[in-house]
Amino acid sequence: MKITTQGNGIRIGTRLEEKIADKMSKFDKYFGEEGSLNVRIRPEGSDMVVEITMNFAGKIIRAEAVDEDILTAVDRTVDKLESQIRRQKTKFLKKKKEYPGIVSYLEDDGGADYDFEVEDEANITKRKQFALRPMTSEDAILQLEMLGHDFFVYLDSDTNSVCVIYKRYDGGYGLLEPQY
């Protein structure tokens, strides 16, 4: 499994990178070389925020944890990532052919202490259609704020593509620009 470690506002040393890679190796034996892990570490006040994004077979799983100690935050994030995989156990088991690595991971440890009841498939409970209006990203942020939403879909007047502007946890804004 390919592991990328990056620090935002912090320098990641070789020893820390090796320790992080060692903690991530638990996923390597189940997912092999097929997946990739991106580990981002950034300071937030006196705490360290660790965010791990796993990309496996076109699916993305993300977890984040905050702690004063980097390695403790990494451990907590790894636990959250594992928990998310386990929570999706029934979905992965239904699609064994698509996710053989994850299925073997879930079956190998005997399923102890995390057998969940079979969940219903995710159902769409509401559909909404709306007209896309061309606007700039600044106009989209204004519209997002006026509506009080967490995200807003719009047609970017500069690029003529559908974009999504969203509120970030740090108070800033993010922009999703799909490539098609």
Side-chain angles (χ1 to χ4, degrees), residues 31-155:
F31 304 118
E33 297 298 316
E34 297 175 37
S36 67
L37 285 168
N38 183 24
V39 181
R40 273 184 55 207
I41 301 172
R42 69 180 187 278
E44 198 169 273
S46 64
D47 293 332
M48 294 304 224
V49 179
V50 175
E51 173 188 313
I52 301 174
T53 306
M54 176 188 272
N55 189 338
F56 177 75
K59 305 294 182 218
I60 296 174
I61 303 172
R62 183 185 168 281
E64 183 178 300
V66 180
D67 200 278
E68 290 179 1
D69 179 53
I70 292 176
L71 293 177
T72 305
V74 169
D75 286 339
R76 292 178 58 206
T77 310
V78 167
D79 291 344
K80 285 183 179 183
L81 198 61
E82 261 188 311
S83 175
Q84 287 182 11
I85 292 170
R86 289 176 180 152
R87 222 176 297 128
Q88 301 297 325
K89 178 180 178 180
T90 55
K91 292 177 185 173
F92 288 129
L93 291 175
K94 286 180 183 178
K95 298 180 180 183
K96 283 185 179 187
K97 289 181 183 174
E98 291 180 44
Y99 309 104
I102 295 176
V103 170
S104 66
Y105 168 72
L106 292 169
E107 289 175 343
D108 284 350
D109 61 2
D113 81 338
Y114 61 83
D115 262 345
F116 294 104
E117 295 177 18
V118 176
E119 298 176 8
D120 293 335
E121 287 293 318
N123 294 325
I124 297 173
T125 57
K126 182 178 179 180
R127 287 189 186 269
K128 186 173 185 178
Q129 293 182 341
F130 56 95
L132 286 176
R133 296 184 332 192
M135 61 179 69
T136 64
S137 57
E138 291 82 19
D139 292 336
I141 290 172
L142 180 63
Q143 190 69 43
L144 170 101
E145 291 297 331
M146 289 186 340
L147 291 171
H149 290 172
D150 294 329
F151 69 93
F152 185 74
V153 181
Y154 69 100
L155 183 64

